[in-house]
């Protein structure tokens, strides 16, 4: 049928490949790349080659509206897929909570402790809810969504159980062309409007999720004062935007 891609794992279990293969096999042909063959331990997986440019090409050139819409189109299709043995997929929540705590480091400052508490509070109140969890790609970003001749399709999943907004972590990341706070604010307003209308999330929920992710990113960059300050400005901007749309 054409060229294929071979994915090899150096360490069995490291890439969550068993769930990833089961996830891919459950996807309709218009959503994900087909698994052609894999060995028993899932250490080697032969995958259908998706021909076409990744959405990242446009997104990082500053054309973020169209890639955001196409990503939402794919996420909407994924949300209708019924996964057999869904309970067998690994939960993302414990790993996220562990990473939040680790982001502050062994000796956080008083300022960092405040950010950490805020992130954990948002997480526990809004994104750590089993009843809302569903099976998600788990590592969806613009580089692994391909504009094929037959529409947008995804590849290279993790296959995880998570709050549905966790699928948006990389969808809202800044493009490489974004260099100032004003551009950040304009992009975020448009992206959140698109995501809300296409996926049904309320805008206030999306701003809350973005605030949560930005808190974590701020903690990760605490060793770089300039980057840390940039994230602090983004936190203020997100809070103001959320207040004006609520």
């Amino acid at each position: 049928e054409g060229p294929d891609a071979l994915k090899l794992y150096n360490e069995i279990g490291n890439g969550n490949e068993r769930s990833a293969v089961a996830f891919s096999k459950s996807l309709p042909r218009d959503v994900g790349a087909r698994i052609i063959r894999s060995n028993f331990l899932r250490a080697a997986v032969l995958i259908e080659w998706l021909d076409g440019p990744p959405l990242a090409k446009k997104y990082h050139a500053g054309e973020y509206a169209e890639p955001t819409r196409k990503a939402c189109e794919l996420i909407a299709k994924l949300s209708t897929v019924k996964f057999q043995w869904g309970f067998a997929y690994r939960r993302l929540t414990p790993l996220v909570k562990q990473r939040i705590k680790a982001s502050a480091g062994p000796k956080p400052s008083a300022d960092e402790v405040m950010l950490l508490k805020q992130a954990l509070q948002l997480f526990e109140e809004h994104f750590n809810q089993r009843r809302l969890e569903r099976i998600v790609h788990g590592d969806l970003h613009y580089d692994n969504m391909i504009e094929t001749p037959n529409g947008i399709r995804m590849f290279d999943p993790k296959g995880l159980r998570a709050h549905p907004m966790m699928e948006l972590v990389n969808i809202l990341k800044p493009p490489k062309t974004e260099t100032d706070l004003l551009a950040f604010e304009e992009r975020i307003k448009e992206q959140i409007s698109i995501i809300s209308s296409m996926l049904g999330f309320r805008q206030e929920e999306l701003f809350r999720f973005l605030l949560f992710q930005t808190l974590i990113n701020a903690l990760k960059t605490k060793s770089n004062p300039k980057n840390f300050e940039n994230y602090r400005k983004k936190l203020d901007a997100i809070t103001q935007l959320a207040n004006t749309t609520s």
Side-chain angles (χ1 to χ4, degrees):
E1 296 181 21
D4 302 318
L6 177 64
K7 183 162 187 177
L8 300 174
Y9 292 92
N10 293 326
E11 181 182 346
I12 301 301
N14 188 52
N16 208 49
E17 62 276 4
R18 189 171 291 278
S19 292
V21 169
F23 175 93
S24 294
K25 285 183 175 179
S26 299
L27 297 179
R29 289 293 298 273
D30 65 339
V31 175
R34 181 170 56 95
I35 299 294
I36 298 168
R37 185 174 298 176
S38 63
N39 71 343
F40 176 72
L41 295 175
R42 308 291 196 263
V45 185
L46 191 64
I47 310 165
E48 173 192 8
W49 179 265
L50 299 182
D51 192 25
L55 287 180
K57 188 173 182 181
K58 290 180 180 176
Y59 188 77
H60 289 298
E63 302 173 38
Y64 53 80
E66 183 184 350
T68 303
R69 289 189 188 95
K70 290 184 175 179
C72 287
E73 177 187 322
L74 202 53
I75 292 171
K77 287 182 179 179
L78 175 60
S79 70
T80 67
V81 176
K82 303 297 182 184
F83 290 90
Q84 189 177 22
W85 313 113
F87 63 86
Y89 286 83
R90 181 184 180 187
R91 291 187 74 228
L92 181 60
T93 296
L95 181 59
V96 171
K97 192 170 182 177
Q98 179 184 343
R99 287 176 176 172
I100 295 170
K101 292 179 177 178
S103 65
K107 295 181 180 180
S109 66
D111 198 27
E112 290 160 4
V113 168
M114 182 184 69
L115 295 180
L116 178 62
K117 286 182 177 179
Q118 190 177 357
L120 285 170
Q121 184 177 353
L122 281 168
F123 180 70
E124 294 293 357
E125 289 181 2
H126 302 287
F127 310 115
N128 185 13
Q129 300 180 38
R130 276 184 182 267
R131 63 184 178 81
L132 295 178
E133 288 179 349
R134 67 181 185 217
I135 309 303
V136 299
H137 180 287
D139 188 29
L140 196 63
H141 52 75
Y142 294 105
D143 276 309
N144 58 27
M145 290 182 280
I146 304 297
E147 294 189 86
T148 75
N150 298 315
I152 299 297
R153 294 172 69 192
M154 64 174 67
F155 70 99
D156 202 20
K158 298 296 182 187
L160 298 164
R161 275 187 295 150
H163 187 289
M165 282 194 195
M166 290 297 173
E167 197 78 289
L168 301 172
V169 170
N170 295 310
I171 304 305
L172 290 165
K173 281 188 174 179
K176 295 175 181 176
T177 51
E178 187 172 279
T179 57
D180 59 63
L181 191 61
L182 180 60
F184 167 78
E185 292 176 358
E186 292 302 314
R187 172 182 61 84
I188 286 304
K189 284 191 292 186
E190 186 164 6
Q191 278 195 292
I192 282 184
S193 176
I194 292 168
I195 293 168
S196 177
S197 65
M198 293 189 68
L199 297 182
F201 298 122
R202 298 195 310 274
Q203 289 201 23
E204 56 265 35
E205 293 177 312
L206 291 166
F207 276 116
R208 191 185 297 135
F209 178 72
L210 181 61
L211 184 65
F212 165 66
Q213 288 297 324
T214 307
L215 283 164
I216 298 172
N217 290 332
L219 286 167
K220 287 179 180 177
T221 61
K222 60 187 180 299
S223 59
N224 186 319
K226 183 178 179 181
N227 286 345
F228 184 76
E229 183 58 29
N230 286 338
Y231 276 114
R232 290 301 300 265
K233 290 178 180 177
K234 286 183 177 182
L235 289 170
D236 291 340
I238 294 165
T239 301
Q240 291 178 16
L241 288 171
N243 290 337
T244 58
T245 57
S246 59

